[in-house]
Amino acid sequence: MTDGFHRPRRRGVLLLAGLGLALWPVDPTPPPGTALEGVKSRDFLTVHTRNTPLTYYEGRLGPTGFEYELVRRFADYLGVSLTLEDDHNVSSVLASVREQGDLGAAALPLEPATPGIIYSQPVMLMQPMVVYRRGLPPPRTPADLVGLQIGTLKGTGISRVMHELQDSIPELSWKEATDLEIASLLKRVEDGSLDAAVVFEHQFRLNRLFFPEVEDGFKVGEKVAMAWALPDNQGMGLIDAANEFLVTLRASGKLDMLIDRYFGHDDYLEYVGARTFIQHVHGRLPRYEELFREAARRENFDWKLLAAVAYQESHWKPDATSPTGVRGMMMLTNVTAEEMNISNRLDPAESIEGGARYLRSIEQRLPEEITGNDRLYMTLAAYNVGLGHLYDARKIVSMLGRDPDRWEDVRDALPLLQESKWYERTRHGYARGSEPVIYVRNIQRYLEILDYVDHNQQQFHQLNARLPDDNDNALFQIVPPKSKG
């Protein structure tokens, strides 16, 4: 429940030494004179990546991101540790790979003609698509793009798609930015600086709910392969190992599972009302953010966790009241408020403080054997359904011969508290056990969104500190219409 995990620094600091077992057999005798031999002799793999939500970033529980997950598993596969070098953009990643090795993993497009670089087999395919600002006539064909202010990100593989499109529509023109990320590009569409953008479909799915004024238009061009980049003068040992790793990961189904985990949540986000949540993040949360931060510091929580719980409870309404008499931002009962020394449940500061104390008190009463995220999710479930019913669900898990210390098993057992053949065998009886399952799932999603928004805001501020004030001319390179002559 605490944030006491190791947070590795960037820029060439050794990460994850000995973390996890190798997932596949490792050849202990790499051929001499190759990059693979060098990696194994020094016992770590250096990966050049970018600090973005789609590649690698520091999450609530440590480093995360799609590319990070892949290269961490690849390092395990090789039986070595992992070092991350955080480069600025795609061009600097490729330059670093040429000069330093070992591998670049930064949502890189497979461009076979790139000097000094050899690419792995594709990691995944990325579909380019047009998005546009709501209120404009919806573009439905490439010809509809002529005359629009269109933005893209240089080095992502979309430039090639746009130039191929321009071959058939010479009037087409667009802007390319090197030092922007997807969120900054979509923000420019939403605020009117751009009419439209061409991005990858999975990028838009992940970001669309943060930019409700940006709509999807149509898919354009062929899919672009994402791949890893390696120096072309260091032998074939490491590239062969990377390809074997990716083949094995794909054949096992684990690669598709990883892709789905990071890029497959769009429908579910709509289901839990994430669009409304994002509106409240910008409209309501700033009034109470410091209160969440103060309570989180006192109780040693992530402030975003407390904010996610409060949103699930009251949508950040300090005067919320339920038909059963629970009230306030954290929806405390009279009994709980008294136990937590809270005199006014409708006062936002008191309610948040009381909710944080109550959440911590639940966590402290759980058995020590429950650890990590299992402990967090069971704490949240008990906040919703009560500790007694949580213990009853754990008893059912034991009856079923499963592990009562794993949230996945307890999650499956909680709905059984609605069935008489099960709840009659428990101490506290019937409970609407499906509710805490949905409750925890929603908080997980809200927390992911808050982490994502917070990270993007930090990136935005860092970027603005480096770039001229609001000078998009310094950010974008204009690609003019193609001469017909």
Side-chain angles (χ1 to χ4, degrees), residues 336-354:
T336 300
E338 289 176 6
E339 289 177 354
M340 299 298 116
N341 296 318
I342 298 302
S343 60
N344 182 2
R345 290 180 290 165
L346 299 184
D347 179 86
E350 287 199 55
S351 182
I352 292 169
E353 181 64 30

Side-chain angles (χ1 to χ4, degrees), residues 382-435:
Y383 191 99
N384 173 257
V385 76
L387 200 53
H389 290 306
L390 179 77
Y391 284 142
D392 286 348
R394 295 182 74 244
K395 178 181 178 181
I396 292 174
V397 171
S398 296
M399 292 179 189
L400 294 170
R402 298 170 71 180
D403 186 352
D405 297 334
R406 291 182 71 245
W407 166 245
E408 290 183 3
D409 293 335
V410 174
R411 179 191 63 197
D412 293 343
L414 277 163
L416 299 180
L417 294 174
Q418 298 166 179
E419 300 179 19
S420 59
K421 69 176 182 179
W422 290 106
Y423 71 71
E424 288 177 356
R425 302 164 68 181
T426 65
R427 179 178 178 183
H428 299 89
Y430 171 83
R432 291 186 293 188
S434 295
E435 288 188 3

Side-chain angles (χ1 to χ4, degrees), residues 155-378:
T156 61
I158 287 177
S159 292
R160 173 161 42 91
V161 172
M162 295 299 290
H163 280 285
E164 291 172 355
L165 197 60
Q166 195 183 49
D167 287 340
S168 59
I169 307 176
E171 302 88 352
L172 186 64
S173 177
W174 65 94
K175 300 178 178 181
E176 295 181 338
T178 299
D179 289 323
L180 290 183
E181 294 297 342
I182 180 66
S184 297
L185 186 66
L186 294 177
K187 182 179 185 298
R188 282 165 168 75
V189 176
E190 183 166 72
D191 67 19
S193 301
L194 296 170
D195 298 322
V198 182
V199 300
F200 289 119
E201 185 178 20
H202 70 281
Q203 293 176 322
F204 182 59
R205 282 206 311 268
L206 275 181
N207 285 275
R208 63 180 301 180
L209 293 167
F210 306 120
F211 302 98
E213 297 305 312
V214 181
E215 293 282 0
D216 57 323
F218 60 94
K219 297 177 182 178
V220 59
E222 299 295 325
K223 292 181 178 179
V224 175
M226 175 197 295
W228 289 347
L230 296 90
D232 67 359
N233 59 355
Q234 297 295 315
M236 296 299 293
L238 192 58
I239 186 70
D240 288 345
N243 285 334
E244 290 167 6
F245 164 77
L246 291 170
V247 166
T248 306
L249 197 68
R250 182 173 287 108
S252 70
K254 292 178 181 177
L255 181 55
D256 286 339
M257 290 173 61
L258 203 60
I259 292 171
D260 185 66
R261 187 204 307 171
Y262 279 93
F263 307 131
H265 290 311
D266 189 51
D267 292 340
Y268 180 65
L269 283 172
E270 291 284 356
Y271 172 71
V272 299
R275 185 184 292 259
T276 301
F277 176 67
I278 290 298
Q279 292 171 348
H280 292 326
V281 166
H282 298 301
R284 293 182 186 171
L285 180 57
R287 284 174 266 171
Y288 309 111
E289 180 176 327
E290 188 54 37
L291 297 179
F292 288 121
R293 289 182 180 275
E294 289 174 3
R297 282 192 290 267
R298 283 191 287 267
E299 297 300 330
N300 198 21
F301 279 121
D302 181 345
W303 76 269
K304 296 186 291 292
L305 171 65
L306 297 183
V309 172
Y311 186 82
Q312 175 64 27
E313 291 288 345
S314 68
H315 284 201
W316 297 323
K317 294 179 180 178
D319 58 351
T321 302
S322 82
T324 58
V326 294
R327 307 185 74 186
M329 184 84 75
M330 302 294 280
M331 297 298 274
L332 303 176
T333 65
N334 260 324
V335 172
T336 300
E338 289 176 6
E339 289 177 354
M340 299 298 116
N341 296 318
I342 298 302
S343 60
N344 182 2
R345 290 180 290 165
L346 299 184
D347 179 86
E350 287 199 55
S351 182
I352 292 169
E353 181 64 30
R357 286 184 204 157
Y358 183 49
L359 200 65
R360 178 59 74 198
S361 72
I362 292 172
E363 184 271 330
Q364 290 173 340
R365 284 181 278 171
L366 291 178
E368 292 182 359
E369 294 77 17
I370 307 174
T371 59
N373 278 342
D374 295 315
R375 192 174 189 87
L376 170 60
Y377 301 149
M378 287 194 217

